[in-house]
């Protein structure tokens, strides 16, 4: 699967939740993959890691910021102030100010 739709859905979902609120990566996989969402989980986690590296989101586990590629078990994503800023709006994703 192309990574751009995953990236867009992650950013849309975390921006919709706002700062300090989180989403589960499975929410992204379900939105894209429907019944076959489980097979998308490694890709969603990988794209999430790219967004963490760029500073647009954070990955957390039990409320603490973690590296999504090194952490075992369930994680969550949340938007950063940078992720809510100009960079995401410039991509034409329609995020609010």
């Amino acid at each position: 699967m192309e990574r751009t739709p995953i990236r867009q859905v992650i950013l849309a979902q975390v921006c919709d939740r706002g700062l300090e609120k989180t989403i589960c990566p499975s929410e992204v996989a379900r939105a894209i993959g429907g019944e076959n969402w489980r097979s998308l989980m490694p890709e969603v986690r990988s794209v999430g890691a790219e967004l963490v590296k760029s500073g647009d989101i954070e990955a957390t586990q039990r409320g603490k910021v973690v590296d999504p590629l090194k952490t075992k078990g369930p994680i969550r994503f949340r938007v950063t102030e940078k992720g809510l800023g100009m960079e995401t709006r410039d991509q034409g994703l329609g995020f609010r100010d």
Side-chain angles (χ1 to χ4, degrees):
M1 162 163 248
E2 189 177 326
R3 296 169 77 79
T4 300
I6 295 172
R7 184 178 194 282
Q8 291 173 337
V9 172
I10 291 172
L11 288 171
Q13 288 187 358
V14 296
C15 286
D16 283 348
R17 295 275 166 92
L19 293 171
E20 303 301 317
K21 303 284 183 166
T22 63
I23 65 162
C24 181
S26 68
E27 293 175 63
V28 175
R30 290 172 200 267
I32 296 169
E35 291 182 21
N36 300 316
W37 66 271
R38 283 184 176 83
S39 65
L40 292 175
M41 287 301 292
E43 192 79 11
V44 169
R45 203 164 173 138
S46 174
V47 173
E50 291 172 5
L51 290 166
V52 167
K53 187 174 181 179
S54 71
D56 291 316
I57 69 170
E58 292 177 326
T60 64
Q61 187 176 63
R62 296 183 186 135
K64 296 181 183 176
V65 176
V66 296
D67 180 335
L69 295 180
K70 294 181 180 176
T71 302
K72 303 272 187 202
I75 61 170
R76 298 192 60 88
F77 295 141
R78 69 179 173 209
V79 70
T80 62
E81 287 189 26
K82 179 184 178 205
L84 284 175
M86 285 299 288
E87 186 171 317
T88 51
R89 280 183 284 162
D90 287 347
Q91 295 167 11
L93 300 176
F95 298 126
R96 64 179 184 265
D97 292 329

